[in-house]
Amino acid sequence: MSTKDERHAEAMAKQKAKVDANIARADEERGVAVLLTGNGKGKSSSAFGMVMRALGYGQSVGVVQFIKGKQLSGEEIYLREKCPQVDFYQMGTGFTWNTQDRSGDIAAAEKTWAEAARMLADERLDLVVLDELTYMLAYDYLDESTVLSAITARPVAQSVVVTGRGGGSALRDVMDTVSEVKDIKHAFKAGIKARKGVDF
Ligand code: ATP
Ligand code: MG
């Protein structure tokens, strides 16, 4: 073995010892609360990656999208058509982002939240995705303490994924994993149209 190989082997052994120690230390078995936030692309698509993972193990999954219903997406089509076992709910056309119809939007947000709250209380669900939930908090359409209580009081074995920019420090505090997707560059800003299968 060359000295370079030896040094590499030594470094790998050290790394492995570190990883093994961390694995041994992480002995708590429970669901995790994940927040995917930030301005870059990759929050919702990561959440749906976890949906795929969970389904791969035959786990039960619930998804609630806090977005306007007219934006059709590949994940919606796929889950509705190919995964009838997934509990899927979308805010739908009741929501307008129209400042003139704030009370209508709040009503739509609350109706959608009722579905999310039902899922967060359902012991049968292994994974619950609350896509774009942060905006409901940012716009004060949902009561923050109600949302945070439901997340923290969920069944021990259930994991929850929340996506969306912002969301506030109280939300961060109750989550176990918080990742910020940073915008370095985005095709859209260079004039490239949003792409089917990539962006929606
Ligand atoms: P994705 O669903 O692709 O994972 P996301 O959930 O991180 O994206 P959202 O803010 O929910 O981001 O926006 C969804 C749409 O906006 C997608 O089409 C995505 O490509 C686009 N988008 C996300 N980030 C940016 C950005 N920084 N600039 C322009 N468009 C963006
Ligand atoms: Mg998103």
Side-chain angles (χ1 to χ4, degrees):
M1 242 193 324
S2 73
T3 39
K4 201 174 170 195
D5 287 343
E6 272 167 27
R7 254 187 282 137
H8 178 74
E10 204 178 296
M12 292 311 280
K14 259 191 205 156
Q15 182 63 26
K16 186 177 182 310
K18 240 191 241 171
V19 172
D20 287 349
N22 286 340
I23 291 171
R25 204 176 34 170
D27 59 356
E28 194 182 343
E29 186 94 44
R30 65 168 175 86
V32 292
V34 180
L35 172 64
L36 302 169
T37 187
N39 296 334
K41 169 181 164 52
K43 301 175 290 294
S44 298
S45 39
S46 168
F48 286 98
M50 281 178 265
V51 168
M52 196 169 86
R53 282 186 172 167
L55 292 176
Y57 290 109
Q59 294 185 353
S60 299
V61 177
V63 177
V64 179
Q65 289 192 302
F66 290 85
I67 52 164
K68 209 167 134 186
K70 276 184 191 149
Q71 310 165 322
L72 202 63
S73 64
E75 62 267 21
E76 180 187 356
I77 298 168
Y78 188 78
L79 291 177
R80 283 198 196 281
E81 289 182 7
K82 313 277 188 203
C83 306
Q85 77 274 32
V86 172
D87 194 348
F88 185 92
Y89 188 86
Q90 198 181 74
M91 186 132 71
T93 44
F95 198 72
T96 59
W97 287 116
N98 183 346
T99 48
Q100 303 305 306
D101 188 21
R102 197 177 137 82
S103 61
D105 281 352
I106 290 173
E110 281 173 350
K111 191 174 162 215
T112 309
W113 170 253
E115 297 295 324
R118 172 182 61 74
M119 292 184 196
L120 289 170
D122 189 343
E123 296 214 343
R124 291 165 303 180
L125 291 174
D126 299 290
L127 178 70
V128 174
V129 171
L130 305 174
D131 193 28
E132 320 295 347
L133 172 68
T134 58
Y135 305 102
M136 302 300 106
L137 299 173
Y139 283 82
D140 249 341
Y141 285 176
L142 293 177
D143 177 57
E144 185 179 62
S145 65
T146 305
V147 170
L148 300 190
S149 306
I151 289 174
T152 50
R154 74 189 191 285
V156 182
Q158 187 186 86
S159 293
V160 59
V161 182
V162 174
T163 83
R165 299 173 194 206
S169 59
L171 176 64
R172 285 179 185 208
D173 288 347
V174 305
M175 306 306 275
D176 302 300
T177 297
V178 178
S179 294
E180 185 174 14
V181 184
K182 189 178 166 195
D183 183 37
I184 306 292
K185 64 197 279 194
H186 193 288
F188 186 68
K189 287 176 191 147
I192 303 170
K193 275 191 175 178
R195 191 80 173 154
K196 191 183 271 187
V198 173
D199 292 302
F200 62 92

